[in-house]
Amino acid sequence: MNTLKRTIQAVAMALLIAMPAVTKAQYVPTAENLKSRQEFADSKFGIFIHWGIYSMFAQGEWYLQNYPIDKNEYAKAADAFYPHRFDAKAWVSAIKDAGAKYICFTSRHHDSFSMWDTKESDYNIVDATPFGRDVIKELAEECHKQGIRLHFYYSHIDWARDEYPLGRTGTKVIGRDKEKADWPAYYNFMNNQLTELLTNYGEIGAIWFDGKWDRDQDSIPFNWQLDEQYALIHRLQPACLIGNNHHESPYPGEDIQIFERDLPGENKAGLSGQDVSRLPLETCQTMNGMWGYKLVDQNYKSTETLIRLLVSTSGKGANLLLNVGPQPNGEIPAAALERMKEMGEWLRANGETVYGTTAGDIPALDWGVTTRKGNRLFVHIFDCKEKELVLPLNCKVKKAFTYSDKQPVKFVKCKDGIKLMFNEVPEGIDYIVELVTK
């Protein structure tokens, strides 16, 4: 009888999760949501923070998946997690000084550990660690105080929680009971956690989902029930934006489109082949090679590379979400802080050519990119080997001058557009020429 009952339950669950998602009503964003979208699009620069008990192993955020590890042995790391140097004020101050306008923090990653005082599981930073502090509460309070938007990364998958029906990842994890897979229970767990995050921590800028790709190889499409989940979020906080790092075209109910490790329209990393939508855009990228802290990964991108990445992303009309992986003691690595400080210095001098801009008139070319703000076109020159530069422009140019010191730049109309003529070959991280157009 028990075997028959389990079989019936398993079949019922299989039918439920295999049902195609049905959109109950067309999503119409509220006025608050549209305002939030515009503010997001104007912000252009955010800092991603991947931090959890995986930092204890210093092997990146996928440590539980990448090795045959017993989930219960892995969980013992929580009992030693004591990030005594965590300082929300220092974090937010450094991020604000870097010129970033928002923070996206990993509230719960694929390893199941929650970084706030959730009532849905004891496996969290307050109940399972000697640290016993709600870091999300401290971070939220400091973000609100310093005027930085706070976004929450939230994993759709869970390698340690038995209720989650495993997809193509998490299969190496030891100690899971496959007989306990229960999608309705797991879905309810997620929604209860999301309700906590959107109820107890003030105004939240966005929920950043990740993990839908875990079941992209299923023979029958998996029903993630996104419609109901998205509706819950918009009901709790209408201005809260929803993004999903599923590497697909946006779904109804999503407010931003995410690209991983690539600029919109590019697919060098193999994760961003989807079409570019008209939603606000964001590309996430690592500062070194990993998302979570990895001891041996000290291969940080240069400040020059990061500034050009930010400008190039803006040239696509998108935001850059640049990742840092804090150490297990709660400190942001010194190399990351150094890059952030230098980016902030550059943005204080040149941020007007990035913040609040739209994609430039000229697609990215070998010499650089462009951004636009009203009748002002900013020409960002990264690599020009001559004293002349032809811009394939159709608009009329009234004035041209260097952005840094407002010195006039000679220009003439030519058959291919507008030719800029310099006294010297442009040099530097980003040689910016401002054009006033008509």
Side-chain angles (χ1 to χ4, degrees), residues 13-14 16-21 156-157 163-167 182-184 186-187 190 211-212 214-226 251:
M13 188 180 74
L16 174 65
I17 63 180
M19 287 170 58
H156 264 137
I157 67 179
E163 293 95 320
Y164 174 69
L166 278 178
D182 186 343
W183 170 253
Y186 180 69
Y187 184 71
M190 287 196 296
K212 184 180 180 297
D214 189 48
R215 305 198 67 101
D216 59 10
Q217 296 179 4
D218 289 10
S219 57
I220 301 174
F222 189 86
N223 180 13
W224 291 92
Q225 297 178 263
L226 295 178
Y251 283 54

Side-chain angles (χ1 to χ4, degrees), residues 44-46 259-264 266 268 283-288 291 301-323 343 346 354 369 371 380 382 429-430:
K44 288 296 181 284
F45 184 32
F259 298 84
E260 182 175 350
R261 293 187 183 270
D262 262 313
L263 300 185
E266 298 181 0
K268 297 175 183 177
T283 183
C284 58
Q285 182 57 271
T286 55
M287 195 177 291
N288 47 0
W291 301 100
K301 299 173 179 66
S302 68
T303 301
E304 175 180 300
T305 297
L306 293 174
I307 289 172
R308 289 182 174 180
L309 176 61
L310 172 60
V311 174
S312 296
T313 307
S314 300
K316 291 276 190 176
N319 292 7
L320 173 64
L321 182 61
L322 184 62
N323 183 75
M343 292 181 77
W346 186 89
V354 173
V369 302
T371 56
H380 300 267
F382 302 154
I429 291 177
D430 183 8

